[in-house]
Amino acid sequence: MTEPCCIVIGASHAGAQLAVSLRQQGWEGRILVIGDEPFLPYNRPPLSKTFLSGEKHVDDLLIRPEAQYEKVGIEFLLGQRVVEIDRHNKTLTLSHGEIFNYDKLALTTGSRVRTLDIPGSDLRGVLYLRDINDVEQIRHFIGPDKKAVIVGGGYIGLETAAMLCKLGLAVTILEAGERILNRVTVPELSAFYTRVHNEEGVQIETDVDISGFGGQDRVQEVQCKDGHVYPADLVIIGIGVVPNTELAEAAGLVVENGIRVDAHCLTIDPDIVAAGDCTNHHNPFYQCDLRLESVQNAMDQAKVAAATLCNKAIQYNALPWFWSDQYDIKLQIAGISSGHEELVLRGEPESGRKFSVFYFRQDKMIAVDAINSPQEFMIGKQIISKGLKVDKIMLADSSVSIRDLLQ
Amino acid sequence: MPVVTYISHDGAINDVEVASGTSVMQGAVDNMIDGIVAECGGSCSCATCHVYIDDAWMDKIPAASEMEKDMLECVLEPESNSRLSCQISVTDELDGLVVKLPASQF
Ligand SMILES: Cc1cc2nc3c(=O)[nH]c(=O)nc-3n(C[C@H](O)[C@H](O)[C@H](O)COP(=O)(O)OP(=O)(O)OC[C@H]3O[C@@H](n4cnc5c(N)ncnc54)[C@H](O)[C@@H]3O)c2cc1C
Ligand code: FES
């Protein structure tokens, strides 16, 4: 009998962790990770942070060096795309036709950028930011006195704006909504980030309806429906991501805004797990279905999925968390704030660069946004995950140490 | 190459070579040592790379930033020799460094 083979599709945060966790959990068979990017799994968050700035290089981004995977017998097939899964015969097919058999399969296909298809969006210099190649492209258009327009005021757009500003470009953010970070946070935080970006020299325009990009062989301007024109040498579009679920859907797995997985990261097929950006799970804490886009979720789900494949039943119940670095500001978010009924501010968002926001529902803390306030983040995380009660008046009083609230 | 010794909470000892310039956290992750989770990949955002530095080495390591100190005060079971291992870069001078891993990160 040949040894059992587990194939992992997608070589990034979730795929890398899943492969390593499989070994740690005792999987003795073959492990093959297939990824369509030409690189070993790398850290994506620095792409819009220290990698864009040139501080970090490709080798610094790798989650683990090649030799370490070799040591534990994890094989990679990179630059190859899986185009079909046949669940009945337990095979999968690569784009050039090669067929692999699997005993167990893990889907860690992640997400891809949502594209904007309007006139001129194929001009040179109109780019996205999701992978190493994107950043290499962006580099061609970076230089002092150049003008960059960021389309979309989400976290990645804002981080990119901060970095390009630091690199000496004149940066404008164009947001379709009434405020930046509209989709993900409360007005207080949007106002704070607007102020900071303005202070740093980044221009932010909201309620902007873009109609197209103009230019000869490369982009020169962004055109708006109201006739407004913004000159640009570089445009970066950051309007969110869509999960890579087509493969799973075609294979007959349940897909509802992500591949549906249970508490053990198992799909409806007992031999197929999924983890990371591509999944949708029912969150026991928030009592709702969630598709998360974060490294924490990718890593934690991957560990659970690996355990499942090794017949160990652990449940995914980690508290979601996220971070974002812009200028000298570290934002740390724990929990999910949507659906909150009340918020408590600690510190002053209108001035300075340090405060936090705590979100409550039915008197229970459900999330915290901590700006340059690591203690509020750390303690908030504990309060939320343990369901502790806190005195909101003391919480709002920044002269009281946050750590005292736990006593 | 400098050698770093990682001691698990259950006493298991791992001596591994870590290239100069690499963080103590990355050395553990690269070698698949349990007990350092490093969710944020070393950006001082998660505190899941908490270690206890062996006393003999405390004064050979550059002091923690304010951000790191703040985080350390809130980890489970903080001690005076607590550090975030992603913030410590291995150098030739740190050859032989010994760190202990907290039980909470397993
Ligand atoms: C610029 C940027 C900054 C970010 N900053 C942060 C941050 O500060 N904090 C945070 O928590 N998160 C951040 N994120 C989000 C985080 O990177 C993602 O949540 C994480 O990468 C998800 O990992 P994943 O493995 O699930 O998916 P992905 O990283 O999307 O990886 C999926 C991989 O699978 C490949 N693939 C897909 N389909 C196939 C196929 N059919 N065959 C072969 N290969 C396939 C894809 O090409 C990709 O390489 C950031 C993301 C970006 C882009
Ligand atoms: S790895 Fe996250 S703080 Fe060190």
Side-chain angles (χ1 to χ4, degrees):
Chain A
M1 208 182 96
T2 53
E3 59 173 356
C5 176
C6 178
I7 297 187
V8 181
I9 309 177
S12 179
H13 285 280
Q17 184 62 48
L18 210 149
V20 168
S21 292
L22 268 179
R23 274 286 178 260
Q24 287 171 333
Q25 297 283 348
W27 175 267
E28 286 174 353
R30 196 175 166 206
I31 301 174
L32 174 66
V33 185
I34 304 177
D36 59 1
E37 290 186 67
F39 307 99
L40 279 172
Y42 57 87
N43 284 298
R44 239 175 254 290
L47 292 182
S48 52
K49 306 176 180 88
T50 45
F51 184 66
L52 181 59
S53 68
E55 247 171 87
K56 285 203 169 166
H57 303 278
V58 173
D59 285 350
D60 305 324
L61 290 187
L62 296 188
I63 294 173
R64 287 184 176 80
E66 193 169 5
Q68 299 302 335
Y69 294 111
E70 275 169 18
K71 219 157 117 186
V72 293
I74 295 172
E75 299 166 57
F76 281 91
L77 195 60
L78 299 173
Q80 301 282 351
R81 201 172 164 71
V82 176
V83 291
E84 197 188 344
I85 300 167
D86 177 343
R87 293 204 286 135
H88 182 68
N89 292 310
K90 294 178 95 170
T91 60
L92 46 84
T93 312
L94 300 189
S95 52
H96 58 74
E98 198 179 346
I99 292 177
F100 287 85
N101 295 305
Y102 69 82
D103 295 286
K104 299 283 179 186
L105 186 63
L107 302 174
T108 53
T109 48
S111 54
R112 60 177 181 273
V113 291
R114 173 168 289 133
T115 55
L116 189 62
D117 294 314
I118 54 174
S121 54
D122 52 353
L123 280 169
R124 283 182 59 223
V126 178
L127 299 166
Y128 294 87
L129 207 177
R130 181 74 196 173
D131 56 35
I132 288 181
N133 277 333
D134 292 335
V135 180
E136 307 282 5
Q137 297 262 343
I138 291 170
R139 291 230 169 91
H140 293 300
F141 298 89
I142 291 182
D145 305 326
K146 299 266 190 203
K147 292 186 182 64
V149 171
I150 312 288
V151 177
Y155 285 117
I156 292 176
L158 296 185
E159 287 183 355
T160 309
M163 261 312 157
L164 293 179
C165 171
K166 206 169 143 189
L167 293 170
L169 284 85
V171 185
T172 305
I173 299 172
L174 303 181
E175 162 63 45
E178 57 178 9
R179 57 186 173 90
I180 54 170
L181 301 174
N182 197 2
R183 216 168 40 90
V184 289
T185 194
V186 289
E188 285 82 350
L189 231 76
S190 301
F192 168 76
Y193 274 111
T194 302
R195 171 171 68 80
V196 168
H197 277 274
N198 289 338
E199 284 170 6
E200 299 285 341
V202 170
Q203 189 189 345
I204 296 182
E205 303 292 340
T206 54
D207 291 315
V208 177
D209 211 346
I210 294 171
S211 56
F213 305 103
Q216 288 305 314
D217 61 329
R218 55 149 76 192
V219 69
Q220 285 167 323
E221 61 182 32
V222 181
Q223 301 150 347
C224 302
K225 287 215 175 107
D226 64 1
H228 226 92
V229 165
Y230 295 90
D233 303 297
L234 163 67
V235 173
I236 299 176
I237 300 171
I239 53 171
V241 295
V242 284
N244 292 321
T245 54
E246 291 77 4
L247 205 55
E249 196 162 14
L253 299 176
V254 180
V255 170
E256 294 159 332
N257 180 28
I259 304 167
R260 161 85 32 221
V261 291
D262 68 10
H264 307 289
C265 292
L266 198 61
T267 66
I268 52 162
D269 185 320
D271 293 315
I272 306 183
V273 294
D277 277 19
C278 65
T279 67
N280 192 313
H281 73 284
H282 183 80
N283 191 284
F285 191 85
Y286 292 96
Q287 285 297 319
C288 64
D289 292 342
L290 287 178
R291 186 174 65 74
L292 298 169
E293 296 157 12
S294 72
V295 172
Q296 168 273 321
N297 177 61
M299 287 179 66
D300 285 336
Q301 283 195 327
K303 290 176 193 169
V304 172
T308 301
L309 292 179
C310 295
N311 298 319
K312 295 179 188 170
I314 53 173
Q315 297 214 357
Y316 180 59
N317 57 6
L319 182 70
W321 79 274
F322 187 81
W323 79 98
S324 174
D325 294 326
Q326 297 167 45
Y327 308 110
D328 56 350
I329 297 164
K330 181 178 290 297
L331 165 68
Q332 291 161 294
I333 302 174
I336 307 283
S337 62
S338 58
H340 70 273
E341 292 157 353
E342 189 186 350
L343 58 84
V344 173
L345 273 174
R346 182 178 164 88
E348 285 164 29
E350 298 84 19
S351 61
R353 295 185 175 193
K354 182 182 166 71
F355 69 97
S356 37
V357 190
F358 296 88
Y359 301 86
F360 289 84
R361 188 170 58 214
Q362 289 164 2
D363 257 11
K364 242 176 87 180
M365 192 187 289
I366 55 168
V368 52
D369 290 342
I371 304 273
N372 283 339
S373 305
Q375 301 216 335
E376 277 69 8
F377 168 71
M378 297 281 289
I379 301 293
K381 233 174 140 175
Q382 285 188 47
I383 294 174
I384 299 165
S385 53
K386 293 181 187 154
L388 305 177
K389 278 250 177 282
V390 282
D391 182 331
K392 290 180 199 155
I393 295 170
M394 278 173 58
L395 184 64
D397 182 352
S398 43
S399 69
V400 178
S401 162
I402 185 86
R403 282 182 291 143
D404 292 345
L405 292 187
L406 278 190
Q407 261 104 65
Chain B
M1 222 188 271
V3 171
V4 177
T5 300
Y6 299 87
I7 305 180
S8 300
H9 70 114
D10 61 2
I13 295 176
N14 267 299
D15 291 326
V16 302
E17 290 190 330
V18 183
S20 282
T22 304
S23 72
V24 173
M25 173 279 279
Q26 195 65 44
V29 171
D30 286 355
N31 290 282
M32 297 176 195
I33 292 173
D34 269 346
I36 291 189
V37 184
E39 279 183 348
C40 77
S43 77
C44 198
S45 300
C46 70
T48 62
C49 65
H50 172 210
V51 299
Y52 303 110
I53 306 289
D54 188 82
D55 287 338
W57 294 90
M58 274 308 275
D59 42 341
K60 298 195 177 67
I61 296 173
S65 67
E66 285 308 310
M67 180 69 75
E68 185 187 338
K69 279 186 202 155
D70 278 356
M71 303 260 288
L72 283 171
E73 284 180 10
C74 301
V75 295
L76 290 175
E77 295 161 32
E79 297 289 343
S80 57
N81 60 342
S82 285
R83 289 296 302 263
L84 295 181
S85 56
C86 68
Q87 301 300 304
I88 304 171
S89 190
V90 173
T91 57
D92 290 337
E93 291 72 56
L94 291 183
D95 185 12
L97 175 68
V98 178
V99 301
K100 291 202 181 74
L101 312 177
S104 59
Q105 275 160 205
F106 281 80

